[in-house]
Amino acid sequence: MHQDDDYGFVARQRPGRPPALARPYSWTEGRTRPTVELAVEARVQTTDLGEGLPEQRVNPLWTVTRLCVEPCSVAEIAAHLAVPLGVARVLVADLLDEGLVTVQATLSDDASTDERRELIERVLSGLRAQ
């Protein structure tokens, strides 16, 4: 089964079988650790430089820049691409290193219970929307 999304990324699945992880890890050249620490709830947004990238519909990095024109979390990126969080973190870190995205600060250590609850609800809402 092929499913083409709004960003041109094609997810391939065989009925009754879980998706293979080899392809997503090939996107990161086998790397499983990002160059910077990224929280699962970290909000990622495409920069002007990232918005100017030429269209490369089969490139997962280009797909992430299109997805993050409106800020979304690392967890949402992983859900959208149907990849493990580690892969999403490496992709975002690569884009961050190139200045193609920014990562907005998440909660500080002294965040209130309400702020923490709001963040969790926002991440869950984003994941459900995928």
Side-chain angles (χ1 to χ4, degrees), residues 14-100:
R14 293 182 184 163
R17 296 183 75 189
L21 295 180
R23 184 174 177 190
Y25 283 106
S26 70
W27 296 339
T28 63
E29 299 171 345
R31 293 173 296 139
T32 58
R33 298 205 184 260
T35 56
V36 295
E37 284 300 314
L38 295 167
V40 66
E41 74 276 5
R43 308 271 296 162
V44 181
Q45 185 164 17
T46 303
T47 63
D48 290 341
L49 181 62
E51 286 188 39
L53 282 179
E55 184 175 321
Q56 299 174 17
R57 295 175 75 72
V58 296
N59 183 326
L61 293 172
W62 179 83
T63 301
V64 173
T65 62
R66 296 290 67 80
L67 179 64
C68 296
V69 168
E70 293 295 322
C72 67
S73 70
V74 174
E76 290 171 283
I77 294 166
H80 177 79
L81 295 177
V83 297
L85 275 169
V87 171
R89 284 180 169 137
V90 170
L91 293 173
V92 170
D94 288 351
L95 290 167
L96 184 63
D97 290 344
E98 295 294 321
L100 301 173

